[in-house]
Amino acid sequence: MNAYAAPQFADIETYLDSQLKKSLLRFITCGSVDDGKSTLIGRLLYESKMIFDDQLASLKNESKKFGTQGEEIDFALLVDGLAAEREQGITIDVAYRFFSTDRRKFIVADTPGHEQYTRNMATGASTADLAIVMIDARKGVLTQTRRHSFIVSLLGIKHVVLCINKMDLVDYDKAVYDKILKDYRDFAADFGFESVQAIPVSALAGDNVVTNSDRTPWYDGPPLMEYLDTVEIRAEDQDKAFRMPVQWVSRPNLDFRGFAGQIVSGRIRPGESVRALPSGRSSKVASIVSYSGDLDEGVEGQSITLTLEDEIDISRGDVLCADQAPAEVSDQFQSTILWMSDSAMLPGRSYVMKIGARECQMQVTEQRYRVDVNTRAHEAAKTLNLNEIGVCNIALDREIAFDAYGDNRRMGGFIIIDRMTNETVGMGLINFALRRASNIHRQSLDVSKELRASMKGQKPVILWFTGLSGAGKSTVANIVEKRLAAMGKHTYTLDGDNVRHGLNHDLGFTDADRVENIRRVGEVSKLMVDAGLIVLVSFISPFRAERRIVRQMVEDGEFWEVFVDAPLEVAESRDVKGLYKKARAGEIKNFTGIDSPYEAPLEPEVHLETDKLSPEDGADRVIAMLQQAGVLSS
């Protein structure tokens, strides 16, 4: 029927062999909502004869029920498989489809155009070699077009096909095409794309999709399918230094110990020297084991198991590298982050980073700037909100092996996971390691925390009083400290109001400032514990995540969460400062309990219901539990 009809083969083996010899191109379609991305892919699948007869019959029936083209086939339904997608006529999830021609194999990711699903678009782009950027000829370059193009450039895609779609709705006007092409080239001039091929198309009518259309005689370039078939994508990863993140340590018996993973760049042969990172230990490859037997060489893209000549302690998440060209190792980086959660990114909050097979705790230590996707201007910002892109400094709880994302996409890309919900909330690209990460080291001290505590006749501990404003935190903490002082104990109280007059005078009451407030107080509390003191901290500290961070800063048993619990109406009735009244009137913003949430402790060491207990009785309970736990005697 056309030049891209599927070739016929005598048997399945011949067909499979022909497929193995073809090159593979992974590409995405992206752009604003309703630009025709799904329709275009459906048209490509149809024209390449990758639709079975029963699928075609089903598509015709579905088109009558859900389609938008009357009695005609709605090709978008081939990839919009979710019920919500068909009902709304939009793409929500990423749909991956395989098709092939007699020249090349393709895996295409149909990504959503809606702003709220930008995270799905970025997911599809992370493994693509080429991007088809769709633009509705009636609307021109939109904000989402700019955002998607920016993300495409960030993720290292060098080849773009600019499909100016729905030309049939503008009477195939060349002037419209020329203006959109100029606008796009002006915007994307500094993105580093190696090629931008513009094609005027009508995905619905098939113009310039498979063959050149008579309706655009002024266009002398290739149709889309021909361009996809012939565009040259350089396979640079095989020429890079060897990298293989270890996904699994294989130990089926006492005589075999191998390290399984996928080679993400380079090649390796038996006898070559490799280095395990972050430990830095080296050995030589004894064998390369695969499903079909031992190999003479492993190359990028293969999943293999390496055995080594020496016994080296290597675990899941470590990286095997070429010994003479190893990856870098660090625990602090400058990174570019795309935030993908409705909840804002908060510097100082603890998240989980997953890079390769390695998971570690991560904090954003500094939000350097946010990028305006329309102008690419650098804007000052303390946080990142949904779909915003920024450059941040991050710190990890351990060293990891990495390459800058610009040098190796698989070694420099990571995702960010919320520790409470396990939701993927962001993705990031490592730009470079911060220099201070390699030249700052902890100083070994001869006088230990244990010696300081024994001199004081006590065990160091943080008593962290948390609760609503007016619950009685400072009152109870003050009584506890007076009683400890009377017992000859060495204490210090960090009160929220007092600290904000000094150490944290530069912080406000936004969620981001509250997180930084608690982070600083946690670091000071940790130093005081190291000095052997009993530290009483009286802060609202509304977020569980930040209280958990402080708990993890010190050893087990050195953090006591004291929940000073009073119902909101009781705390509000004790409002001697008039803060609740001002918050109700809108004079104070981000006030905990009114327009900012308070996350109550789930399992506090001490729970004081101050609407039922007097402050003195609450203090007695804290002292009794300290004595029971042996904190007051060493």
Side-chain angles (χ1 to χ4, degrees), residues 96 136 164 299 421 630:
Y96 292 94
D136 188 328
I164 301 175
V299 298
T421 64

Side-chain angles (χ1 to χ4, degrees), residues 9 18 44 49 98 107 191 214 250 274 288 293 306 351 360 393 396 485 499 524 546 549 580 607 629:
F9 296 93
S18 72
L44 287 173
K49 303 303 178 185
F98 171 87
I107 295 177
F191 279 174
D214 295 336
S250 176
V274 294
I288 304 174
L306 293 182
Y351 298 98
C360 47
N393 291 350
L396 312 181
V499 170
V524 173
E546 279 59 66
I549 289 172
Y580 280 102
H607 186 180

Side-chain angles (χ1 to χ4, degrees), residues 86 272 288 516 534:
R86 296 188 171 206
E272 292 185 341
I288 304 174
E516 176 61 12
I534 297 173

Side-chain angles (χ1 to χ4, degrees), residues 207-216 219-223 226:
D207 294 298
N208 294 324
V209 175
V210 172
T211 58
N212 288 103
S213 172
D214 295 336
R215 299 185 180 102
T216 55
Y219 173 70
D220 57 2
E226 180 182 331

Side-chain angles (χ1 to χ4, degrees), residues 526-592:
K526 178 183 177 182
L527 292 174
M528 290 185 169
V529 165
D530 197 55
L533 298 177
I534 297 173
V535 191
L536 298 91
V537 180
S538 177
F539 278 71
I540 294 175
S541 49
F543 302 125
R544 296 190 191 106
E546 279 59 66
R547 300 194 297 266
R548 189 188 311 112
I549 289 172
V550 181
R551 183 186 293 272
Q552 293 171 344
M553 288 181 180
V554 295
E555 298 178 13
D556 289 344
E558 291 183 345
F559 182 92
W560 285 41
E561 193 171 35
V562 182
F563 180 25
V564 184
D565 184 10
L568 178 60
E569 60 271 15
V570 173
E572 200 164 351
S573 70
R574 300 170 180 169
D575 189 14
V576 295
K577 302 176 184 177
L579 300 180
Y580 280 102
K581 184 178 180 180
K582 292 181 179 179
R584 294 282 187 191
E587 298 176 18
I588 301 177
K589 300 298 182 182
N590 304 310
F591 192 81
T592 303

